[in-house]
Amino acid sequence: MNIKAFSAILCVFLGCCSNVVFLEYLVKEDPGSGNLVTFSQFLFIAVEGLVHTIMTRNLTPKIPLKNYSLLVLMFFVTSVANNFAFDFNIPMPLHMIFRAGSLIANMVMGILILNKKYVLSKYLSVLMITAGIVLCTIISGSDVQKTTVATSTENMNIAYSDFFIWVLGIGLLSIALFISAYMGICQETLYKRFGKHPEEALFYTHLIPLPGFVFIYKNIKEHFNIALSSQSITLPMLSIIGLKIEIPQMIFYLICNVITQYLCISSVYVLTTECASLTVTLVVTLRKFVSLLFSILYFKNSFTIYHWIGTGLVFFGTIIFTEVLPRITEHMQIRKHKQE
């Protein structure tokens, strides 16, 4: 493994895991800040991509802009829906477990649209993932229901409305999951037709949707004001060298979230160009598991034995689906044979 690949793996863990941490900080302070986070990420990546495009003078896209239209729309909807789901009583661990179920949506879309057929092990692994997500969802739903009922004995309508809001959040995540899977199929079709241009796709899928945020600008403005009025903190890095600059705590979290999101996405891109798909799959899967563990332990999120069972089913189902273990064994045998 070369230095570039090793650095990419480190940056994936550093960028993606820390991104989830800062997102959870934001959500705990203000559960409705999802649209603000999404807009900030889109704006930063679009501006960075614009500067890079102008500097390299690659002003003519390799893929015509009209072919990006459906891809851009789906990416915008899924990004907004995934972050907006926190406003519907969705806890961070369940959010991560649910999004790890993308393989289910990919398989369903593959069967319905591409008429794909899979071996038995694939169906079994997806069944494991589905069972894990369903178990975690049911337990989390029970926790929400118990909490709302316990705190709303004088007004049962509030209890039921809180649970209904949670159900809407699950529905939102489910819709985003399947749209994201179909988006993957569209992206694969574009790449087959025009060649792979992931950096260009990253730029245009973040630049073109920016006007769409006009429709939710009131929500973005409201939560930006909430972030501005949050408690001030001294910037930790500057305080080391004797500079005392204070900014609102949530603004600091937001800046860190946006920067780490860019680090995460760009590192995954480098990883896909430097490493085999086996390495990429393994790194991304382990990263998700590490993020989940950190969220449970550091933020002390509610996580029962049933959640652990569900998480185990999702994690091992993913390992089976991606055939990581057989491919690692095969890779080791090939290396052993070459050494001999």
Side-chain angles (χ1 to χ4, degrees), residues 23-35 83-90 223 226 250:
L23 178 60
E24 188 151 5
Y25 272 128
L26 284 165
V27 170
K28 283 189 177 296
E29 291 286 333
D30 178 17
S33 61
N35 288 330
N83 281 342
F84 190 47
F86 291 114
D87 206 21
F88 292 81
N89 293 337
I90 302 295
H223 291 283
I226 292 173
M250 286 188 64

Side-chain angles (χ1 to χ4, degrees), residues 9 41 47 62 66 76 93 104 126 176 184 195 216 226 240 250 300 302 308 332 334 338:
I9 292 174
Q41 292 173 349
V47 170
K62 305 292 189 302
K66 64 179 181 179
F76 175 74
I104 303 169
V126 166
I216 52 175
I226 292 173
I240 297 175
M250 286 188 64
K300 296 181 172 57
S302 175
W308 281 114
M332 291 176 65
I334 291 173
K338 286 182 178 180

Side-chain angles (χ1 to χ4, degrees), residues 144-172:
V144 171
Q145 204 168 20
K146 285 176 183 176
T147 302
T148 54
V149 170
T151 58
S152 309
T153 51
E154 294 182 1
N155 190 348
M156 292 301 291
N157 289 329
I158 296 176
Y160 287 118
S161 65
D162 285 347
F163 182 68
F164 179 69
I165 287 171
W166 176 85
V167 171
L168 287 178
I170 293 297
L172 200 63

